[in-house]
Amino acid sequence: MPYDGFSAHVSEQLERDRATAKPPQSAFAGASAELRVELREIVDELLEDLDGLAADLHAHPETAFEEHRSVAALATLLESRGIAAHTNVFDVETAAVADLPGDREDGPGRRIAILSEYDALPGIGHACGHNVIAASGVGAFLALAALRERHPDAVPGRVRWLGTPAEEGHTGKEYMARGGAFDGLDAAIMIHPYGFDVTDQVWLGRRTLTVTFHGRPAHASAQPFMGINALDAANLAYSGIGLLRQHILPVDRIHAMMPVGGDRASIIVAEAQLKLYVRSKYPDTLRDLSQRIDDICRGAALMTGCRVEIDWDEHPPSLPVRSNRELEARYAAAMVECGRDILPGGVLTETIAASTDFGNVSYRVPGIHPLVKISAEHVALHTEEFAQAAASPAATKAIDDASYALAATALDFLADDELAAAVRADFDAAGGAVDVPSYFDPKD
């Protein structure tokens, strides 16, 4: 296999760094130790139902915007515990929302959201482990509901659960955001399964692009000089993008395919098309890279005399994840309580990087998107092996620990005013809220 040696070097470096890496340390107390112990006990009591939910989702995978059975299963579990759950909300049919019993829309205190994803991949089902995300988010929410029922004053502020569909290849959270899902929130948290326990890993921003070149057909032998070859333009654009790779940031990614390239070799191609993903680590570098790709495609059209249509973002783009360091530290403390050896951000190589629509959330409100181990370290997301891991005993253990860690992080944020102030200060220092819908608008 190519680059087996590189993989070995990455593993060696990881082992060296792991020996000295320490999870982020929090300067804040958060909720009381007694409440945290009780919260852990509640999560353990919920585990059978949560594991059953994860197994049910795993056995019945549904792809983006088709998660009707999945969202119904989540809502049914919440309602079985006396919590009203609403689906077809925020202008997304398979989205869902529930509020902690006793919460009011205009109630006092801070509001935090705990998120669940539940869409699967075509062909290989829950090979990204969204069934684990779903169960962990619901588990954290139900644990806080049970804690409040036992101790009405134990959970100050407000807690919202959000069922967020269509992450795979789409941006369901951005559609929900434009429907108001994240209005009035002070923070949002979720987990993602992985081969490591990590507080923060690089998640690249992502845009999609469809480029269609229009030429003029002609007989390729008798009158080729009468034609304008759209395939030439597509080939030049593809080659230009390849040459650009030398000059992009090491963690940037560009993927391209050519779904349209002609029907017969004897006819000058009248229409050719490229479809691309463009990814980068920061919002501004993603915007810059997008402009360079745009220029290459227009240049290819100019060189061949073709007309070109450039259509960015069939679905809204994803921004990179901006993780809140203060929330990270509280989450890490909770996972250490669970006996997990959690790595801080920056230990894993940046070459292991994908994208998620949670990035768009993290530029609206303070948020975290940590990773929880369910598989061997060498197992990659979006593989059959990871799909198997998502239904394994390790996944059950991850749901147990992540449900507690998310619930404890939310409780800490609501109970500790100094922590909440530090969370906001970290968010503001990183640039504050961004107007996500207009970020890639050409006028910018």
Side-chain angles (χ1 to χ4, degrees), residues 49-79:
D49 284 348
L50 300 176
D51 191 40
L53 172 66
D56 181 57
L57 296 177
H58 192 276
H60 302 91
E62 296 176 306
T63 55
F65 296 116
E66 302 296 330
E67 314 95 328
H68 299 283
R69 187 187 184 282
S70 299
V71 74
L74 292 159
T76 297
L77 178 56
L78 290 169
E79 288 165 357

Side-chain angles (χ1 to χ4, degrees), residues 273-303:
Q273 188 178 83
L274 294 176
K275 286 185 175 289
L276 302 98
Y277 276 20
V278 182
R279 307 188 201 237
S280 194
K281 184 177 178 180
Y282 304 104
D284 54 345
T285 59
L286 179 57
R287 187 162 54 185
D288 292 345
L289 182 58
S290 299
Q291 185 59 58
R292 299 186 77 178
I293 297 293
D294 198 283
D295 289 345
I296 286 171
C297 294
R298 295 185 189 282
L302 183 63
M303 284 189 287

Side-chain angles (χ1 to χ4, degrees), residues 238-271:
Y238 190 89
S239 298
I241 291 165
L243 294 171
L244 175 65
R245 295 180 194 277
Q246 181 183 5
H247 306 286
I248 63 177
L249 298 173
V251 75
D252 285 359
R253 298 287 184 266
I254 309 167
H255 335 294
M257 60 174 288
M258 191 182 297
V260 180
D263 299 313
R264 294 179 63 89
S266 61
I267 302 174
I268 298 296
V269 175
E271 182 177 308

Side-chain angles (χ1 to χ4, degrees), residues 70-428:
S70 299
V71 74
L74 292 159
T76 297
L77 178 56
L78 290 169
E79 288 165 357
S80 74
R81 297 280 175 163
I83 298 173
H86 306 280
T87 59
N88 192 11
V89 291
F90 307 118
D91 301 327
V92 179
E93 189 173 348
T94 51
V97 64
D99 289 306
L100 215 60
D103 282 359
R104 302 193 318 271
E105 185 66 32
D106 60 347
R110 295 176 287 275
R111 172 180 273 179
I112 189 169
I114 303 173
L115 278 54
S116 289
E117 292 175 9
Y118 35 87
D119 62 320
L121 288 155
I124 52 175
H126 278 287
C128 206
H130 290 190
N131 61 316
V132 175
I133 302 175
S136 299
V138 169
F141 182 75
L142 287 175
L144 291 168
L147 186 65
R148 176 179 280 179
E149 186 175 7
R150 295 183 186 184
H151 309 288
D153 297 328
V155 186
R158 295 165 291 163
V159 183
R160 169 160 282 185
W161 172 79
L162 289 170
T164 63
E167 186 275 339
E168 295 291 356
H170 299 276
T171 41
K173 293 180 189 63
E174 179 60 26
Y175 285 114
M176 290 178 65
R178 296 179 186 188
F182 300 96
D183 294 353
L185 292 180
D186 298 291
I189 58 177
M190 65 174 289
I191 59 92
H192 197 293
Y194 205 47
F196 301 86
D197 286 304
V198 193
T199 57
D200 177 33
Q201 176 62 355
V202 172
W203 292 87
L204 302 175
R206 183 196 68 200
R207 301 189 71 189
T208 60
L209 172 62
T210 299
V211 186
T212 306
F213 296 99
H214 299 280
R216 185 169 64 212
H219 195 289
S221 178
Q223 294 175 309
F225 46 83
M226 298 296 291
I228 297 175
N229 199 327
L231 184 60
D232 286 351
N235 182 47
L236 283 168
Y238 190 89
S239 298
I241 291 165
L243 294 171
L244 175 65
R245 295 180 194 277
Q246 181 183 5
H247 306 286
I248 63 177
L249 298 173
V251 75
D252 285 359
R253 298 287 184 266
I254 309 167
H255 335 294
M257 60 174 288
M258 191 182 297
V260 180
D263 299 313
R264 294 179 63 89
S266 61
I267 302 174
I268 298 296
V269 175
E271 182 177 308
Q273 188 178 83
L274 294 176
K275 286 185 175 289
L276 302 98
Y277 276 20
V278 182
R279 307 188 201 237
S280 194
K281 184 177 178 180
Y282 304 104
D284 54 345
T285 59
L286 179 57
R287 187 162 54 185
D288 292 345
L289 182 58
S290 299
Q291 185 59 58
R292 299 186 77 178
I293 297 293
D294 198 283
D295 289 345
I296 286 171
C297 294
R298 295 185 189 282
L302 183 63
M303 284 189 287
T304 56
C306 288
R307 181 171 60 85
V308 63
E309 295 176 16
I310 298 180
D311 298 312
W312 283 99
D313 305 317
E314 177 184 2
H315 297 282
S318 298
L319 290 177
V321 172
R322 184 171 71 183
S323 188
N324 188 276
R325 291 176 296 181
E326 300 295 344
L327 288 173
E328 271 182 34
R330 296 313 307 165
Y331 173 86
M335 285 303 249
V336 169
E337 291 173 22
C338 297
R340 291 198 175 245
D341 180 19
I342 189 164
L343 298 172
V347 174
L348 291 183
T349 172
E350 289 187 345
T351 60
I352 306 172
S355 303
T356 169
D357 59 1
F358 185 80
N360 295 23
V361 179
S362 71
Y363 278 84
R364 285 180 163 90
V365 297
I368 54 170
H369 187 271
L371 301 160
V372 59
K373 181 178 176 66
I374 68 166
S375 74
E377 294 179 354
H378 68 275
V379 175
L381 301 176
H382 293 200
T383 62
E384 293 282 359
E385 293 80 6
F386 202 83
Q388 294 169 14
S392 68
T396 301
K397 174 60 173 167
I399 291 167
D400 193 21
D401 292 344
S403 296
Y404 168 69
L406 287 173
T409 302
L411 186 62
D412 288 344
F413 177 74
L414 297 174
D416 190 328
D417 292 340
E418 292 183 354
L419 168 63
V423 166
R424 186 69 209 188
D426 184 77
F427 181 72
D428 290 341

